[in-house]
Amino acid sequence: MDNINPASMPPPIPVSAGYSPTLPPGENPEDKIPVTGFIGAVEAILRQPRRVIYQLAQGSSTSLTAALLIIAVLSAGIYGLVVGTYSMGDQLWAAPVKIVLGLLVCAFICLPSLYIFSCLSGSDARLGTVLGLLAGLLALMTILLIGFAPVAWVFSQSTNSPVMMGILHLIFWFVATIFGVKFLFHGMQHLKLRSSGGLQVWTIIFVLVMLQMTAALRPLVSKGTSFLPKEKKFFLAHWVDSIKEDNKPAEVANPAPAR
């Protein structure tokens, strides 16, 4: 054991010069490679998010922000089409339109509070940079949803319960949201963010707004008599009513015994 020949030892694994995951975006030369095109933006947001953050922080990232928003819209539309395959018919176009509409409305509603919380937390990010980071969050979320789309389609063709399909879609959305929020936090941390408390509060607001959209734009999974509901309803009340409606056939098929 003590007479090991150094020449017989395997060479060390090479490390890229200047690479460190703790370095701020731009310190690593690879981070400065421009992100161009839709395919380039998709690959960068998945493989090298530091490149996206660095380019957004430069203040001249209008094209990248637009690309990320377009990616989010297209990806949400594709996943919405999969959601619509459960009920078919009008839902094949209504579900994609509603999901894209809900995504854009949520972004518009939550952008001002995100900018305010980022300023209160010490970040020096400009409004355009905050918009770009939010666009990156939405793009990453919806790209991940496309990854879940085949699984969602299999279940949509093999179950008759809209409640179970709704729960499955919510699980996929929740997982995708976690990764999207992590991207946002990572971007803000490299923009002189001193405290994450404001962003944590904003995350709760963002999640609540997205959940309320499931009630405001209902129905998303099952068929409806109109494109948008005429009755206002809190999302928890909507979920409870949906569960009761889903259990009605079982109650009719197994009536209580006469007393």
Side-chain angles (χ1 to χ4, degrees):
M1 294 294 294
D2 296 334
N3 297 324
I4 299 177
N5 185 4
S8 64
M9 297 293 291
I13 298 176
V15 180
S16 299
Y19 173 78
S20 174
T22 60
L23 290 175
E27 294 296 327
N28 182 15
E30 295 180 358
D31 298 340
K32 297 182 179 181
I33 301 176
V35 180
T36 57
F38 294 104
I39 301 300
V42 172
E43 292 182 349
I45 198 73
L46 292 175
R47 297 176 181 269
Q48 298 173 308
R50 291 162 57 93
R51 289 176 56 199
V52 178
I53 295 172
Y54 174 76
Q55 187 163 330
L56 290 173
Q58 300 312 299
S60 57
S61 55
T62 305
S63 59
L64 177 57
T65 300
L68 292 172
L69 286 175
I70 293 174
I71 290 170
V73 169
L74 293 178
S75 301
I78 294 173
Y79 189 79
L81 181 63
V82 175
V83 174
T85 58
Y86 174 80
S87 297
M88 303 298 289
D90 291 341
Q91 286 297 91
L92 287 176
W93 66 266
V97 171
K98 288 181 180 181
I99 290 177
V100 171
L101 179 64
L103 190 74
L104 296 178
V105 170
C106 283
F108 178 77
I109 292 175
C110 296
L111 176 60
S113 58
L114 177 59
Y115 177 68
I116 292 172
F117 278 122
S118 67
C119 292
L120 293 176
S121 300
S123 173
D124 60 354
R126 298 176 180 270
L127 180 60
T129 303
V130 174
L131 175 60
L133 290 175
L134 180 58
L137 182 154
L138 299 179
L140 183 55
M141 278 181 56
T142 52
I143 291 171
L144 290 174
L145 286 176
I146 288 184
F148 294 133
V151 179
W153 179 82
V154 169
F155 278 90
S156 69
Q157 303 303 308
S158 58
T159 181
N160 291 322
S161 173
V163 171
M164 294 307 299
M165 282 305 307
I167 293 174
L168 184 66
H169 289 306
L170 283 175
I171 292 174
F172 290 158
W173 167 83
F174 183 72
V175 174
T177 302
I178 291 176
F179 283 91
V181 170
K182 283 185 177 180
F183 168 81
L184 176 66
F185 271 66
H186 183 67
M188 286 295 184
Q189 286 172 356
H190 290 291
L191 293 170
K192 299 181 180 180
L193 190 74
R194 291 195 297 266
S195 173
S196 61
L199 287 184
Q200 292 174 357
V201 173
W202 179 86
T203 300
I204 296 174
I205 296 173
F206 177 72
V207 171
L208 289 176
V209 172
M210 291 287 285
L211 291 177
Q212 184 59 27
M213 283 297 165
T214 64
L217 299 175
R218 67 185 189 275
L220 292 172
V221 177
S222 57
K223 294 181 179 180
T225 57
S226 60
F227 180 73
L228 292 175
K230 299 179 180 179
E231 179 187 3
K232 297 179 181 180
K233 189 177 293 186
F234 187 55
F235 70 90
L236 289 178
H238 166 55
W239 292 354
V240 171
D241 292 343
S242 298
I243 293 174
K244 291 180 179 179
E245 187 71 21
D246 193 48
N247 289 332
K248 277 186 178 180
E251 294 174 358
V252 174
N254 300 292
R259 295 182 179 179

